[in-house]
């Protein structure tokens, strides 16, 4: 048994039982409102009685903290390599929503020792025990770091706008995902949100166009979660670094987030799906990185 296989077995034993839902929010390009959607969905879920944590996996840009105007003192690297406790890297946000900054830590997963892997999985398991939903806000585009998170996820929200570049880039992401080693289309639920659309009809049309192409050429099931309308109040809220669900709860976009959240929760209740939490997500990431590292040597 080689070292990588031995470490994989250790992770399987260390991974605690969990039924925490992890939703990974992604997009084919930047500037489509992905981070705003992550934050506002988290706030709406919290209002509906869920314990929610947002994980900022947009390395280098730290969009979550910019959007909220809150700068965390520590990030995942401090948990992984500096022995910090989980509480130290969790930052309190609005409406009982907490968030964790990924920093550069996740990019170093393949370099972790056996003891560091065990510690990380154990600590993430502790987070899972006190959380109902974890929303992962990825970087934009089709970089390896984005695709690795999507491949490791059980549930993905794909954000697209009516702009031609957004549609093409969203399709490019799914195409790259389809070619990525380890991706199992039957085990990953991908759902689309149409953002910044002028009407329900425009959002439905955007989804149908995307769905036809994705089904025809990639054979990936794509569900539809609804729209977030074009809303001037949303832009103002972003500039003020206060989520629209907090600053203007009666705004059209805030009401849309409420509707999408209800739909997401209803879909989960109907499917009665078992979830693995952030500890399983990171176990999947570590396994993939170890496999890639072994293949390149």
């Amino acid at each position: 048994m080689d070292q990588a296989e031995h470490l994989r077995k250790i992770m399987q034993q260390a991974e605690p039982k969990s039924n925490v839902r992890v939703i990974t929010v992604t997009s084919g390009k930047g500037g489509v409102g992905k981070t705003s959607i992550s934050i506002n969905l988290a706030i709406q879920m919290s209002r509906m009685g869920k314990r929610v944590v947002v994980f900022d996996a947009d390395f280098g840009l730290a969009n979550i903290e910019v959007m909220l105007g809150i700068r965390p003192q520590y990030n995942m690297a401090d948990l992984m390599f500096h022995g910090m406790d989980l509480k130290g890297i969790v930052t309190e946000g609005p409406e009982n929503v907490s968030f964790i900054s990924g920093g550069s830590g996740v990019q170093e997963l393949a370099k972790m020792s056996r003891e560091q892997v065990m510690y990380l999985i154990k600590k993430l398991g502790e987070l899972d025990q006190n959380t109902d939903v974890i929303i992962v806000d990825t970087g934009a585009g089709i970089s390896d770091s984005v695709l690795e998170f999507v491949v490791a996820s059980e549930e993905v929200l794909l954000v697209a706008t009516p702009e031609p570049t957004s549609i093409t880039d969203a399709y490019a992401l799914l195409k790259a995902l389809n070619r990525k080693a380890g991706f199992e289309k039957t085990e990953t639920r991908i759902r689309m949100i149409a953002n910044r659309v002028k009407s329900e009809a425009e959002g439905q049309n955007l989804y149908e166009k995307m769905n036809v192409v994705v089904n025809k050429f990639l054979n990936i099931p794509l569900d539809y979660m609804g729209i977030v309308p074009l809303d001037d109040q949303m832009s103002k809220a972003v500039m003020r670094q206060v989520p629209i669900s907090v600053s203007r709860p009666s705004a059209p976009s805030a009401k849309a987030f409420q509707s999408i959240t209800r739909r997401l929760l209803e879909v989960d209740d109907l499917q009665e799906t078992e979830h693995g939490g952030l500890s399983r997500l990171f176990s999947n990431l570590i396994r993939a990185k170890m496999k890639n590292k072994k293949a390149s040597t």
Side-chain angles (χ1 to χ4, degrees):
M1 183 187 297
D2 61 21
Q3 186 178 3
E5 180 62 27
H6 181 60
L7 196 52
R8 278 193 289 271
K9 287 188 177 296
I10 290 171
M11 281 192 299
Q12 287 172 353
Q13 293 167 1
E15 192 179 304
K17 297 287 183 183
S18 168
N19 197 29
V20 179
R21 186 178 185 185
V22 178
I23 302 173
T24 298
V25 184
T26 192
S27 63
K29 67 187 288 288
V32 299
K34 172 182 56 60
T35 301
S36 288
I37 285 174
S38 297
I39 293 169
N40 281 285
L41 289 180
I43 289 169
Q44 296 292 347
M45 285 188 179
S46 176
R47 287 178 178 171
M48 294 178 191
K50 301 296 181 182
R51 298 168 299 174
V52 189
V53 174
V54 180
F55 180 76
D56 190 349
D58 195 348
F59 313 120
L61 295 178
N63 280 338
I64 296 290
E65 55 192 82
V66 171
M67 286 273 183
L68 295 178
I70 302 171
R71 186 172 182 178
Q73 191 173 358
Y74 301 103
N75 58 41
M76 277 292 291
D78 295 295
L79 176 70
M80 291 162 58
F81 301 112
H82 304 140
M84 180 161 283
D85 196 58
L86 186 66
K87 288 182 180 178
I89 68 162
V90 176
T91 303
E92 293 301 318
E95 305 265 348
N96 297 316
V97 172
S98 303
F99 73 97
I100 296 173
S101 172
S104 60
V106 180
Q107 295 168 319
E108 308 296 320
L109 284 172
K111 300 177 183 177
M112 294 176 71
S113 68
R114 171 183 171 279
E115 289 75 20
Q116 287 168 332
V117 168
M118 293 285 287
Y119 182 78
L120 175 64
I121 300 302
K122 179 185 175 185
K123 289 299 172 183
L124 292 178
E126 291 176 10
L127 177 68
D128 288 340
Q129 298 304 313
N130 298 295
T131 311
D132 297 311
V133 182
I134 294 169
I135 295 178
V136 178
D137 184 54
T138 71
I142 54 174
S143 66
D144 282 341
S145 61
V146 171
L147 290 174
E148 284 168 356
F149 261 99
V150 178
V151 168
S153 302
E154 299 170 353
E155 185 173 358
V156 177
L157 277 181
L158 177 66
V159 181
T161 71
E163 295 176 14
T165 51
S166 172
I167 299 166
T168 345
D169 290 339
Y171 176 76
L173 183 141
L174 293 178
K175 186 177 179 182
L177 179 64
N178 203 40
R179 295 175 174 174
K180 186 79 174 170
F183 174 65
E184 296 290 342
K185 61 185 72 176
T186 56
E187 295 178 11
T188 306
R189 298 178 300 282
I190 302 178
R191 300 179 172 120
M192 181 182 144
I193 292 177
N195 193 25
R196 297 177 190 156
V197 295
K198 295 176 183 175
S199 65
E200 292 277 358
E202 185 179 37
Q204 185 69 38
N205 185 49
L206 174 59
Y207 163 70
E208 287 172 0
K209 283 182 179 177
M210 177 73 74
N211 192 41
V212 166
V213 180
V214 168
N215 271 322
K216 182 176 180 180
F217 296 106
L218 304 178
N219 194 28
I220 296 176
L222 184 64
D223 298 328
Y224 184 48
M225 285 292 103
I227 71 159
V228 178
L230 192 62
D231 184 359
D232 288 341
Q233 294 184 68
M234 180 82 163
S235 305
K236 292 174 183 176
V238 171
M239 293 297 292
R240 289 195 298 265
Q241 294 179 298
V242 181
I244 190 72
S245 294
V246 175
S247 62
R248 294 286 187 274
S250 61
S253 53
K255 289 182 176 179
F257 286 124
Q258 191 177 56
S259 298
I260 291 171
T261 300
R262 283 202 189 100
R263 206 165 294 134
L264 281 168
L265 296 179
E266 286 168 3
V267 164
D268 195 53
D269 288 341
L270 286 172
Q271 291 180 339
E272 296 182 347
T273 309
E274 289 187 6
H275 305 295
L278 202 59
S279 55
R280 182 181 295 175
L281 176 73
F282 269 79
S283 292
N284 292 341
L285 278 171
I286 294 167
R287 290 185 191 106
K289 284 184 175 292
M290 288 191 304
K291 188 175 181 181
N292 293 338
K293 184 180 179 182
K294 185 179 178 182
S296 62
T297 56

